[in-house]
Amino acid sequence: MLLTIIYQDEYIVAIDKPSGLLVHRSLLDKHETLFALQLLRDQIGQHVFPVHRLDRPTSGVLVFALSAEIAKNLNEQFAAQTIQKNYLAIVRGHSSVSGEIDYGLKEKLDKIADKMANKDKPAQPAITFYKQLAVFDLPYPVSKYPTARFSLLQLTPKTGRKHQLRRHLAHISHPIICDTTHGDGKYNAFVRQQFEFKQLALTCKSMAINHPVTGEGLVLRCVLNNNFKDLLEKWDISPHQLSKLNTI
């Protein structure tokens, strides 16, 4: 598998991670053989250092440092919440035009990977801002509804809790499409069967960081992936709206 590199210099490299690819080896899937870290290392011929993660089903901008020192700098930016990430998500229902989700999240622990972690931690503060970019009303009955309604949202998380966006959108009753953990099974099945859309409808579209050496602002941006683009075109999104999505 050849990864799409969206930015590279002598200090950092950023890729457009495809949905379904793990960032690094994990106890959660001991049989998996492909990981972004190893694939990128082999592709560019040097060690890379992960500085953040994307869930396996989430696609989009993923940044690696090319030295431990640079990784430390970027980790500090993430910890200080000075890095801005913009996601695109397709969710069930017609959302509000914009809003803030301020809802603390209990840390989600995995039975294997987090076996030794403290299970009694209080909920951690978690904030997500969202903006509605488009709405769709499709003439298909789903569940108890006469039509299938969806919204395309821009999501900007202020914090970075595990599965924050997926859990926050489910909390406001607009779960992300094809989220098999927090989503709506009937809507997921409808989109898979009717439109052959089979990935989580969540992608990290852009990330703004301060370059770890020059200190200049740097926006890392990926193009809208083909699965998203094809689905939105089937739903008759306008060419103007579609082109604007690549500027997010």
Side-chain angles (χ1 to χ4, degrees):
M1 177 188 294
L2 194 65
L3 297 171
T4 299
I5 295 174
I6 57 176
Y7 179 86
Q8 183 177 2
D9 61 22
E10 59 186 297
Y11 307 106
I12 62 175
V13 58
I15 66 168
D16 182 355
K17 185 187 88 67
S19 174
L21 182 65
L22 285 166
V23 174
H24 48 67
R25 192 176 300 277
S26 169
L27 291 172
L28 304 182
D29 195 336
K30 294 183 287 187
H31 305 292
E32 184 55 73
T33 58
L34 293 178
F35 313 95
L37 188 150
Q38 284 88 349
L39 287 169
L40 183 59
R41 177 197 63 196
D42 295 345
Q43 185 170 325
I44 67 173
Q46 65 183 110
H47 285 292
V48 295
F49 299 77
V51 295
H52 69 114
R53 66 186 297 275
L54 289 176
D55 294 342
R56 182 176 189 167
T58 304
S59 62
V61 179
L62 182 64
V63 181
F64 294 87
L66 295 179
S67 71
E69 181 182 4
I70 297 300
K72 180 175 182 293
N73 178 291
L74 291 172
N75 282 326
E76 288 171 352
Q77 289 190 49
F78 276 101
Q81 299 177 0
T82 58
I83 289 177
Q84 178 171 311
K85 294 174 280 185
N86 289 306
Y87 290 75
L88 291 178
I90 301 171
V91 304
R92 183 194 69 186
H94 288 179
S95 72
S96 303
V97 173
S98 63
E100 175 185 345
I101 308 169
D102 186 350
Y103 178 68
L105 297 172
K106 288 276 288 184
E107 187 173 4
K108 296 203 79 172
L109 301 177
D110 182 81
K111 291 179 181 177
I112 300 173
D114 299 316
K115 189 163 51 177
M116 306 303 291
N118 180 4
K119 297 177 175 58
D120 298 317
K121 281 185 180 180
Q124 300 170 297
I127 298 173
T128 301
F129 299 98
Y130 68 90
K131 180 169 68 172
Q132 183 196 93
L133 303 177
V135 294
F136 306 92
D137 201 342
L138 309 182
Y140 300 91
V142 180
S143 186
K144 60 184 179 181
Y145 304 102
T147 61
R149 291 183 165 195
F150 301 94
S151 298
L152 174 66
L153 303 182
Q154 178 179 331
L155 306 175
T156 306
K158 177 64 177 173
T159 51
R161 309 305 178 198
K162 189 173 183 179
H163 299 172
Q164 175 175 316
L165 298 179
R166 296 161 66 183
R167 295 166 73 186
H168 267 179
L169 272 296
H171 173 68
I172 64 169
S173 299
H174 292 298
I176 297 173
I177 296 305
C178 291
D179 185 341
T180 57
T181 305
H182 309 283
D184 182 314
K186 291 182 179 178
Y187 269 77
N188 293 349
F190 164 73
V191 173
R192 283 194 298 266
Q193 293 164 11
Q194 189 69 37
F195 299 102
E196 298 183 340
F197 185 83
K198 298 175 182 177
Q199 73 169 70
L200 179 68
L202 178 66
T203 186
C204 182
K205 187 66 177 58
S206 66
M207 184 181 300
I209 68 173
N210 291 321
H211 193 281
V213 174
T214 68
E216 294 180 0
L218 178 64
V219 178
L220 307 169
R221 184 179 284 115
C222 61
V223 299
L224 189 65
N225 71 56
N226 286 335
N227 290 337
F228 260 78
K229 182 173 177 287
D230 290 347
L231 181 64
L232 294 174
E233 286 179 335
K234 289 174 182 176
W235 291 358
D236 291 328
I237 192 169
S238 74
H240 175 67
Q241 285 177 300
L242 202 56
S243 66
K244 284 184 68 176
L245 296 181
N246 279 325
T247 66
I248 291 174

